[in-house]
Amino acid sequence: MTTNIASLPRGIRNNNPGNIRRNNDPWQGLASPQTDQDFFTFKTAPYGIRALARTLIAYQDEHNLRTIRQIISRWAPANENNTGVYIDAVAKSTSLDADRPLNMHSFEQLMPVVEAIIRHENGQQPYTDIQLIKALVLAGVEPEQQNLQKTRTVKA
């Protein structure tokens, strides 16, 4: 079964699942030309997810926003969104308290927030773990490496 691209949510169509508005930021992986006058269009979804992750990291590093409530209040301001509903959706989706301090440099904390934002922005989260991990690695946040001594991997 093929999907009509026009029926997909705007963020999915634009490979910008965080629906990052166009501005002067020179994001990696921008499509040329930019076909949406309001939102960035990326070449591939991992570049758009990377931009979402890098924005969340900047919120922490540059604006000291560390909780879901603080992050979403900036991401989806009340003049454009029902911010309270958005905060509740992200908290529920991540199973994290909206006021718990998070570390956006931690893969284990960033990943569920990214997934929840994608889900809320698009009504779905269609990306594979491989795409999401690639995007977060591109953003400079890698999953913790599992100690091989605790795996079933054996020495050759």
Side-chain angles (χ1 to χ4, degrees):
M1 179 175 146
T2 59
T3 302
N4 178 1
I5 194 120
S7 70
L8 292 173
R10 186 182 208 171
I12 307 293
R13 285 194 317 265
N14 289 344
N15 290 320
N16 178 5
N19 285 317
I20 298 172
R21 289 195 177 277
R22 285 181 63 174
N23 56 35
N24 293 327
D25 289 341
W27 288 111
Q28 287 183 12
L30 287 175
S32 181
Q34 289 291 298
T35 55
D36 188 313
Q37 97 178 36
D38 295 317
F39 296 91
F40 282 121
T41 303
F42 290 90
K43 294 175 187 176
T44 64
Y47 280 116
I49 299 165
R50 175 198 177 275
L52 162 54
R54 289 301 309 164
T55 301
L56 298 179
I57 292 166
Y59 282 5
Q60 174 181 307
D61 293 351
E62 296 170 20
H63 306 286
N64 200 31
L65 305 177
R66 295 184 173 273
T67 68
I68 290 171
R69 186 175 315 282
Q70 292 169 335
I71 290 166
I72 299 303
S73 292
R74 181 171 176 116
W75 185 271
N79 64 324
E80 296 179 8
N81 300 273
N82 187 334
T83 306
V85 168
Y86 202 143
I87 290 165
D88 291 344
V90 172
K92 182 178 180 184
S93 179
T94 61
S95 299
L96 297 168
D97 184 282
D99 296 308
R100 173 187 170 197
L102 302 173
N103 177 3
M104 294 294 98
H105 292 280
S106 163
F107 182 91
E108 290 70 25
Q109 293 183 9
L110 178 61
M111 177 76 127
V113 174
V114 166
E115 288 179 289
I117 289 173
I118 292 170
R119 186 173 294 105
H120 193 81
E121 290 284 335
N122 300 284
Q124 59 183 290
Q125 195 298 96
Y127 304 107
T128 65
D129 284 347
I130 291 171
Q131 289 173 301
L132 292 164
I133 292 167
K134 178 179 180 179
L136 269 58
V137 168
L138 285 170
V141 181
E142 297 190 24
E144 186 176 320
Q145 296 299 315
Q146 190 172 11
N147 184 335
L148 291 180
Q149 292 176 339
K150 294 180 181 177
T151 69
R152 300 182 80 195
T153 305
V154 294
K155 294 180 182 178

